[in-house]
Amino acid sequence: YRDLHTFELQAPTRLIEWARGNRVCVAGYGQSDGNEILQLIPPPTLLTKETQGLCPERDFKVECGGFSERPVYSLKYVPDTSLLVTSGPPDSSLQVWQVSAEDSDVIKSVSTIATENGTGQSWAKIATISARAPWVLHGSRLDRVQITEVESRKNVYTAASRGSEELSSLAFLDCNLLLLCCATGRLCLADIRQPQSLVEAMPVPSAPCSEQWCMGTRHAAQGSEPSSQPVARLSSRGLLALTDLRKTSEFLALAKARVPSPGSGAEFLCVSWAPALEGYLAISGFDGTVHVYDTQSWDSSGREAEPIFIHKGHTFGGAGGSRDAPLVTVHTWHLQKPRTLLSAASDGSLHVWDWVQPCGKC
């Protein structure tokens, strides 16, 4: 490691979200009442663009917080606002939160976005954008995807689909294009300017019906087409499929990650592209580790890929003293520091780490 910071949360968390001022938001997913939502100030070394030497302050600090009566399974910061949107069982409604001003340390609930026929539906996957207005894209199934204006709770768009497959991920590619990933791995591209249009992208390789998939997208570089960025899909068997949305008739690359099969489902599967490092991605959700891969040499053979780094810090235990080995529940990349990631685990541990680049890649 070049650097490693750890922080112990009071409860397991399954999400990490960057907010204004390089703040970090986390939330608990326990089944009891009173799941915490916290906004943390990262260690000073993470607030500077350049890696610095020794720093007296190495811990996260709690800046403000609140409590949710329901488990928080997804949390998104609404860009250019002080709002957070969360979702979680027992239905597909959304909760909107206000991060209080500097003179208060409270994150308070301000409204609920109810969904039509939301009762009985699984929790909603969400994505946010503020290109035109503060919008949230949300849905639990392919035929229940919509965009809602966060502040007015006005419905802006509803996707047209006859299928009712469960969703695992969704994303804004830009203010007009949406990408939806079903738990079966099927990708669908939607354009909000054409409400009746829902285009299916490349299907996944043949796989057992029980296999679950998730998706990771990368923000397009300034001036480039959003569809020019490859989409990564990760399966519960560790299969990775890279797709170019401009040419969906074939895979850009296929590889097999060196990971164990999940023992209790695929609810924590996570794949993400490095925002400041071309061709690099990270995966987690199989055990207590996070794997980092360089995809630039991958082909369509589906061969096993060798990770360039494995973060094993969570496997050495953290808060709670549980005998069970911790499971990494989520990870995310630092927005400016190329090789810095944050990861959280089921034991309440939150890690920030930066690995040393191998000499051959300098």
Side-chain angles (χ1 to χ4, degrees), residues 215-283:
M215 168 189 76
T217 59
R218 185 182 180 191
H219 292 296
Q222 189 171 6
S224 65
E225 290 292 327
S227 58
S228 66
Q229 298 299 318
V231 176
R233 279 173 286 177
L234 171 67
S235 83
S236 52
R237 287 191 302 129
L239 187 63
L240 282 154
L242 308 186
T243 304
D244 186 336
L245 294 178
R246 299 168 301 178
K247 190 177 181 182
T248 59
S249 60
E250 60 186 44
F251 289 108
L252 194 62
L254 286 172
K256 179 71 170 64
R258 189 181 299 174
V259 293
S261 297
S264 57
E267 61 177 328
F268 298 119
L269 284 183
C270 183
V271 55
S272 63
W273 288 101
L277 206 58
E278 188 68 32
Y280 282 61
L281 59 75
I283 66 170

Side-chain angles (χ1 to χ4, degrees), residues 78 129-135 149:
V78 183
I129 196 172
S130 288
R132 298 176 182 171
W135 284 356
E149 193 172 288

Side-chain angles (χ1 to χ4, degrees), residues 146-166:
Q146 60 189 69
I147 296 175
T148 303
E149 193 172 288
V150 176
E151 293 170 318
S152 68
R153 288 174 281 173
K154 177 185 176 182
N155 178 266
V156 176
Y157 165 85
T158 300
S161 174
R162 295 179 181 177
S164 60
E165 295 177 58
E166 182 181 353

Side-chain angles (χ1 to χ4, degrees), residues 141-186:
R141 295 189 176 276
L142 194 58
D143 59 350
R144 301 191 183 278
V145 174
Q146 60 189 69
I147 296 175
T148 303
E149 193 172 288
V150 176
E151 293 170 318
S152 68
R153 288 174 281 173
K154 177 185 176 182
N155 178 266
V156 176
Y157 165 85
T158 300
S161 174
R162 295 179 181 177
S164 60
E165 295 177 58
E166 182 181 353
L167 289 172
S168 64
S169 322
L170 39 73
F172 282 102
L173 297 181
D174 62 16
C175 61
N176 293 313
L177 294 177
L178 317 174
L179 189 62
L180 317 173
C181 181
C182 299
T184 58
R186 187 158 71 102

